[in-house]
Amino acid sequence: MNEMKKNLKLIKNNKTKCPTCGNFSVKSSYPFCSQRCSSIDLGKWFDGKYSIPSVEDPDGLDIVKLSEKDKS
Ligand SMILES: [Zn+2]
């Protein structure tokens, strides 16, 4: 029960836990505890972005094929 009270206090104080390591976040690098954790999380996002173009590529090829059909 004490844990719940603690959590409520943390929400009131607007203290968020770092998504990367779980430490309390700092204003300067919100919502992370440090710039290091911020860049680690950014790295995760970039990894995800790299996988998106390979999924979208087939559509791009289809558009090219259609425009080639119009020409001929
Ligand atoms: Zn952290």
Side-chain angles (χ1 to χ4, degrees), residues 1-12 17 24:
M1 285 303 140
N2 279 340
E3 282 296 311
M4 277 188 78
K5 275 188 180 176
K6 260 189 193 174
N7 286 338
L8 280 174
K9 259 192 179 179
L10 290 175
I11 291 165
K12 274 186 182 175
K17 276 188 174 182
F24 289 121

Side-chain angles (χ1 to χ4, degrees), residues 16-25 31-34 37-38:
T16 314
K17 276 188 174 182
C18 170
T20 305
C21 72
N23 281 333
F24 289 121
S25 60
F32 305 96
C33 72
S34 62
C37 280
S38 173

Side-chain angles (χ1 to χ4, degrees), residues 11-61:
I11 291 165
K12 274 186 182 175
N13 290 339
N14 207 18
K15 280 202 174 178
T16 314
K17 276 188 174 182
C18 170
T20 305
C21 72
N23 281 333
F24 289 121
S25 60
V26 180
K27 261 189 187 179
S28 57
S29 51
Y30 187 87
F32 305 96
C33 72
S34 62
Q35 284 295 326
R36 213 178 123 216
C37 280
S38 173
S39 48
I40 287 170
D41 198 72
L42 269 176
K44 283 182 196 168
W45 277 102
F46 281 131
D47 282 346
K49 273 185 183 176
Y50 279 128
S51 69
I52 291 169
S54 58
V55 176
E56 283 179 349
D57 267 346
D59 284 338
L61 286 172

